[in-house]
Amino acid sequence: MNTEELKQTADALMAGDKGLLAMDESLNTCNKRFKEAGLPQTEEYRRKYRQLIVTTPGLAESISGAILFDETIYQSTDDGVLFIDVLKKAGIIPGIKVDEGTTAMPGSPDEKITNGLEGLDIRLNNYYGLGARFAKWRAVMTIGKNLPTEANIQANTEALAKYARLCQEDDIVPIVEPEVLMDGDHTIERCYEVTENAIKELFKQLEKQGVYLPGLILKPNMVIAGKDNHHKNSTDEVASATVKCLLANVPHEVAGVAFLSGGQTPQEATRHLHEMHVKFGKELPWPLTFSFARAIQQPALDIWKGKDKNVKAAQDMLAFRASMDSAARAGRYSVDLDRYPVL
Ligand code: 13P
């Protein structure tokens, strides 16, 4: 474990007003998004789409690192340049999703556990050789009647900590993502309680595994009510609950915190991040930024429609959304700023 290299990578990922772009949808998730957008669910279309993303002009102005999926790390542009090399040339650090998705938890089938620890050391070694310098592992926790169970939180956070330790052994910065899902009609208070439990337990497990916190990034959900809850909390309420929960439970030593968007609209996710900076900017002990997938990509995907003639417009939209998130991180986002020129 080279702690100096780990810290350097983690700090570079958290630098400036930038954030991360999650473009690591698994085959299933990517195909699901393509299906919803009426696109063919083939390897070639996934390649074309990821090509669109990595070749977006100006992306590096707002994005410090991009998380790839296994299929994508081996893919190239039409001209035969590996995507990973396109990113590096642009000054974007390549990362890789290394979990192997979720399955129903034995004994509690409404909950999920994440797979992928077996053989992970060998895969990490290979990814480092290919140029990846950070990784991501996502655990999901479901809020429901009597859910999540203690056992689920325990199993998910233990796996996250083991993964983080293995990453650091290979000088790869781990992003740990304990995602409390927005599915359901729960209140913001309930989300707070579950998020707090998950993060508390996660840091206990990370300590047990001897994980080096300055070389680690936490990717949490924002503290927000469930999608089916009709009461919409204000931007201020979401920002305040989220920062309060993080301040109380995330050690100051971590390299940074980078949110997932979790099904919020791009504007909601951006507004919430902005509000956190405006209201709490000076109190934050770690960099606080974004690691969005849908909140950056979805509008661009909708424009692309699988057609070459739409690539430029889709890229413009992608760069625009990323720039809004960067503005939010700097606390200089506004609804007026977020007016995309003619579509
Ligand atoms: P969303 O921003 O779409 O929630 O995705 C982030 C992510 O990386 C999920 O693992």
Side-chain angles (χ1 to χ4, degrees), residues 21-25 33 67 97 99 136-140 177 179 219 259-264 291-297:
L21 169 62
M23 49 175 291
D24 60 335
E25 295 83 0
R33 307 257 186 274
I67 315 170
K97 169 191 175 75
D99 68 71
K136 186 191 97 174
W137 178 290
R138 173 176 180 252
V140 293
E177 182 179 14
E179 176 174 4
K219 176 162 173 166
F259 292 107
L260 59 98
S261 58
Q264 300 178 64
S291 175
F292 299 155
R294 280 166 288 182
I296 295 178
Q297 291 185 50

Side-chain angles (χ1 to χ4, degrees), residues 175-217:
I175 296 187
V176 286
E177 182 179 14
E179 176 174 4
V180 177
L181 295 174
M182 271 179 81
D183 298 341
D185 63 358
H186 51 269
T187 61
I188 190 170
E189 289 80 12
R190 179 83 178 113
C191 179
Y192 186 107
E193 186 187 5
V194 174
T195 303
E196 171 158 72
N197 282 345
I199 293 179
K200 260 201 174 97
E201 188 57 34
L202 174 61
F203 280 98
K204 266 193 220 157
Q205 297 286 346
L206 288 167
E207 192 183 350
K208 209 161 140 189
Q209 293 297 330
V211 171
Y212 174 63
L213 297 184
L216 172 113
I217 293 167

Side-chain angles (χ1 to χ4, degrees), residues 55-77:
T55 60
T56 292
L59 194 62
E61 286 162 30
S62 320
I63 299 295
S64 56
I67 315 170
L68 305 175
F69 177 62
D70 181 70
E71 177 182 78
T72 321
I73 203 168
Y74 298 102
Q75 288 177 326
S76 310
T77 62

